[in-house]
Amino acid sequence: MYKLFNPQEINLTKYMFFTGKGGVGKTSVACAISVTLADQGKKVLLVSTDPASNLQDVFATELTNKGVPIKDIPNLIVANLDPVKAAADYRESVISPFRGKLPDAVIANMEEQLSGSCTVEIAAFNEFSNFITDKTAQTEYDHIIFDTAPTGHTLRMLQLPSAWSNFISESTHGASCLGQLSGLESRKEVYKNAVSTLAAGVLTTLVLVSRPDDSPLKEAERASKELSQLGVNNQVMVLNGVLTSYDDSVSESLYKKQQKAITGMPEGLKNIKIYIVPLRAYNIMGLENIRSLLTTDKVNKRNDVIRSTNVPHLKDVIDDLYNSNKKVIFTMGKGGVGKTTVAAAIAMGLVARGKKVHLATTDPAAHLKFVLDENSGITMSHIDEHAELKKYQDEVLAKARETMSKDDVAYVEEDLRSPCTQEIAVFRAFAQIVEKAEEQVVVIDTAPTGHTLLLLDSTQSYHREVKRTQGDIPESVKKLLPRLRSTETEVIIVTLAETTPVYEAMRLEEDLKRAGIATKWWVINSSLYQTKTTNALLSAKASNEIEWINKVDEHSKGNFAVIAWSADDIKGEKLKEL
């Protein structure tokens, strides 16, 4: 087994960046190492750039973007940057010179171009590059720790020469994340220094945080590979939440599932030094728990109670979808929360109630979940995300090369690697499926964000205002946008009963509201609370879910369902059991 993540046994650099999927425990591990080092007498600055950050709750202290001393830890300063606010301020600084000079439709399009996750990340990088390059901070602190690292996509954009010109009015495809860097020319040298510091192994360590589960491990491998290609090679991995023993069927199943994921770890992670943090029963809130995370377990069950007297099941969600005669149903949520499983269960439930259903999925293994025959009532299609993305990228680049310089084409190529572009490419394929399925209920296991929908929508009005070369928006997409805003569409939000996944799901919901798409049902997946485990550690951990189940209950006005954690792959007859 791997060694425990003990700061005293690790060669720690001045700068440490923590990265990983939402909900894997980046913030908890970053806080624990910061407090441990500060307790040893080191001067430490901890900086969070995570939009879902709960640092204020963790330290029970009102934080600012300048840095606040933490009571009872003399050597620790914590800064909480709000990248969403930074992105809003940055967006306004770019757009304000054009207000009153360009048509409203053009301004609306510019605002949406600068509303995506890429812009938020660049705004965050803009903020924390100050800390990396600040001479005073370099001399004042022994360690500067960042909770959240920039992605390879952002760093590559910062290194492209053409990224520094204003691309907003010259966008080459119908919907993109272009334009985030316009107006930042004066910061170019600061970014250059920040990027070179990141790549300096003697100065910087990238800490990949993951859980012993397939989805976060794949994400860690992707981040590792992307950042390695940019010269950020000093990497270690922390496997957070590792169960080390078991004494009932639930804990035994979880232990074996984790060990299977660790044994089958992606190839790209096998040469990286790996440490573990054992699964803890407590939430990482307050100094006592932060200090304990890397060293001690305490099994204390919380006395919270589920407020709802009758927690709905997935069956209740399906009944409502059936009775309200929904035609297009999306399951939506962050990667790894179980969208595909929930979509498949909904499809089977509607078929059992007499509906004809078409299930579209982006999960390559989705066909394994069913034993379907011609009389099952379900037709299926699998959308290959990589193939759709490649097809869309090729289309856009072919047009760009007709009129653009080599540098500009390089920028477009990088823009086409953005999360928004992948959504758009996949969404076009979904639109064609929905168009073909007029006579069936269509259930789809991935939905585009509100930002992507608004990009696709605003491009249509922008096209009427400004003649420019752009990626074609197929008729099927144009027809689908109004349909998504109609009462025949339902978006089911899938999440976990944990801090970060719930906050991220709320942001997704806000995004959809901006695009005029209503949501009603939430599904909390993989709940330990629902397993009724008797294992002391898991039972205590399950008691921490109650707070988040109650929060979702209140937020959704009772329109939520809870699905128990399962070690098995949910397929075939097991889907019906949901």
Side-chain angles (χ1 to χ4, degrees):
M1 198 40 157
Y2 302 113
K3 282 186 176 179
L4 291 173
F5 187 53
N6 180 353
Q8 291 173 312
E9 296 180 8
I10 302 164
N11 181 23
L12 299 173
T13 52
K14 186 176 194 74
Y15 301 100
M16 282 175 273
F17 285 82
F18 288 77
T19 189
K21 274 177 86 80
V24 294
K26 289 190 298 288
T27 300
S28 299
V29 178
C31 289
I33 200 167
S34 300
V35 170
T36 301
L37 290 170
D39 284 345
Q40 291 170 3
K42 306 283 189 186
K43 286 279 286 178
V44 180
L45 172 65
L46 171 62
V47 183
S48 175
T49 59
D50 188 346
S53 173
N54 59 336
L55 270 190
Q56 301 208 132
D57 301 325
V58 171
F59 288 106
T61 303
E62 195 70 31
L63 300 173
T64 70
N65 63 346
K66 303 295 181 205
V68 171
I70 301 299
K71 190 171 175 277
D72 301 325
I73 312 180
N75 295 313
L76 180 62
I77 304 290
V78 179
N80 197 23
L81 308 179
D82 182 348
V84 175
K85 183 182 182 304
D89 293 344
Y90 168 55
R91 185 164 59 243
E92 188 52 35
S93 73
V94 173
I95 292 168
S96 56
F98 300 101
R99 292 193 190 280
K101 297 175 185 175
L102 293 175
D104 289 347
V106 178
I107 296 295
N109 180 264
M110 290 168 71
E111 286 178 328
E112 199 50 54
Q113 291 275 4
L114 292 164
S115 291
S117 57
C118 301
T119 307
V120 172
E121 199 183 313
I122 284 169
F125 191 78
N126 185 38
E127 294 277 319
F128 74 49
S129 58
N130 294 332
F131 288 101
I132 306 176
T133 55
D134 184 81
K135 298 292 183 207
T136 310
Q138 284 171 14
T139 53
E140 193 174 336
Y141 297 102
D142 297 303
H143 298 285
I144 301 178
I145 295 170
F146 295 93
D147 166 26
T148 302
T151 64
H153 171 60
T154 296
L155 293 176
R156 281 192 305 266
M157 284 227 286
L158 292 167
Q159 291 172 320
L160 284 166
S162 51
W164 301 97
S165 52
N166 184 348
F167 263 76
I168 290 178
S169 61
E170 301 169 35
S171 173
T172 57
H173 52 301
S176 76
C177 292
L178 286 169
Q180 306 94 325
L181 298 170
S182 53
L184 288 178
E185 181 70 40
S186 62
R187 305 278 297 163
K188 194 172 180 181
E189 203 56 37
V190 174
Y191 288 169
K192 189 178 174 184
N193 291 339
V195 172
S196 64
T197 302
L198 262 172
V202 291
L203 289 174
T204 301
T205 306
L206 181 76
V207 183
L208 301 156
V209 184
S210 183
R211 289 193 188 273
D213 205 357
D214 293 337
S215 182
L217 283 169
K218 283 176 188 166
E219 177 70 13
E221 182 191 39
R222 186 195 62 76
S224 169
K225 188 177 174 184
E226 272 207 332
L227 292 162
S228 287
Q229 288 167 349
L230 293 164
V232 185
N233 290 310
N234 189 10
Q235 302 179 4
V236 299
M237 187 161 85
V238 174
L239 278 178
N240 185 33
V242 178
L243 188 64
T244 54
S245 63
Y246 56 85
D247 60 10
D248 75 342
S249 61
V250 176
S251 56
E252 182 181 7
S253 295
L254 177 57
Y255 178 84
K256 287 180 176 175
K257 187 176 187 181
Q258 287 192 347
Q259 291 304 311
K260 185 181 175 187
I262 291 170
T263 306
M265 190 175 295
E267 283 299 318
L269 297 174
K270 288 182 177 174
N271 294 324
I272 295 172
K273 186 77 176 170
I274 296 174
Y275 301 92
I276 67 161
V277 174
L279 185 66
R280 302 302 187 196
Y282 49 86
N283 277 340
I284 312 305
M285 298 287 173
L287 287 184
E288 187 187 342
N289 285 354
I290 296 170
R291 283 193 168 106
S292 300
L293 177 63
L294 303 182
T295 56
T296 318
D297 204 6
K298 299 168 292 180
V299 179
N300 299 319
K301 279 185 80 165
R302 292 178 56 163
N303 296 318
D304 293 3
V305 293
I306 298 284
R307 286 198 290 265
S308 176
T309 52
N310 182 26
V311 175
H313 298 281
L314 192 60
K315 172 187 168 298
D316 300 301
V317 179
I318 298 168
D319 282 343
D320 186 62
L321 294 170
Y322 175 78
N323 293 328
S324 56
N325 202 27
K326 297 298 179 189
K327 294 285 180 64
V328 182
I329 300 162
F330 287 99
T331 54
M332 188 169 184
K334 288 293 182 185
V337 295
K339 296 186 295 290
T340 303
T341 303
V342 173
I346 288 171
M348 291 187 83
L350 289 172
V351 163
R353 289 160 179 75
K355 292 281 189 184
K356 283 179 70 178
V357 178
H358 182 85
L359 176 65
T361 173
T362 56
D363 183 350
H367 64 281
L368 300 175
K369 296 183 188 296
F370 305 96
V371 183
L372 297 177
D373 58 43
E374 289 178 5
N375 302 316
S376 68
I378 297 180
T379 55
M380 273 195 71
S381 53
H382 164 241
I383 293 168
D384 185 328
E385 289 183 287
H386 298 298
E388 292 298 333
L389 178 60
K390 175 97 172 50
K391 190 163 79 177
Y392 184 64
Q393 287 171 329
D394 289 347
E395 274 179 37
V396 174
L397 284 171
K399 284 190 176 183
R401 289 189 181 106
E402 290 172 12
T403 57
M404 299 180 83
S405 71
K406 192 176 174 183
D407 274 354
D408 289 353
V409 169
Y411 185 49
V412 174
E413 278 182 314
E414 186 50 55
D415 181 64
L416 285 167
R417 298 191 204 190
S418 78
C420 299
T421 307
Q422 180 148 336
E423 272 191 32
I424 290 158
V426 171
F427 189 46
R428 297 199 318 171
F430 278 141
Q432 287 155 12
I433 286 168
V434 173
E435 191 177 39
K436 288 176 188 170
E438 292 285 339
E439 305 304 313
Q440 295 174 297
V441 178
V442 179
V443 182
I444 299 172
D445 86 340
T446 297
T449 63
H451 169 59
T452 301
L453 293 174
L454 284 166
L455 276 177
L456 288 163
D457 199 19
S458 65
T459 346
Q460 293 174 53
S461 53
Y462 190 16
H463 182 54
R464 289 194 290 271
E465 300 289 342
V466 182
K467 285 186 178 178
R468 63 193 186 118
T469 311
Q470 46 176 277
D472 294 327
I473 299 176
E475 276 303 311
S476 55
V477 171
K478 291 179 185 176
K479 279 163 48 179
L480 187 52
L481 286 167
R483 173 178 249 163
L484 288 177
R485 292 178 171 130
S486 77
T487 54
E488 65 182 30
T489 294
E490 180 84 56
V491 174
I492 312 288
I493 292 183
V494 186
T495 187
L496 306 174
E498 296 172 18
T499 315
T500 303
V502 169
Y503 282 138
E504 288 187 342
M506 285 178 174
R507 280 209 308 280
L508 282 173
E509 187 184 54
E510 280 300 312
D511 219 4
L512 288 167
K513 279 181 185 169
R514 286 195 309 120
I517 296 168
T519 59
K520 179 179 178 181
W521 286 99
W522 283 54
V523 173
I524 297 171
N525 197 21
S526 295
S527 167
L528 279 172
Y529 175 81
Q530 287 291 84
T531 66
K532 313 299 182 201
T533 176
T534 56
N535 175 270
L537 188 149
L538 294 187
S539 177
K541 191 157 182 62
S543 71
N544 288 312
E545 291 185 356
I546 295 172
E547 174 189 357
W548 298 102
I549 293 171
N550 285 336
K551 196 175 192 74
V552 170
D553 178 8
E554 182 184 359
H555 180 80
S556 67
K557 300 182 173 58
N559 295 309
F560 75 106
V562 183
I563 298 172
W565 177 86
S566 171
D568 301 319
D569 287 336
I570 309 293
K571 56 188 178 186
E573 289 303 309
K574 283 197 175 290
L575 279 167
K576 292 180 181 174
E577 292 170 19
L578 290 185

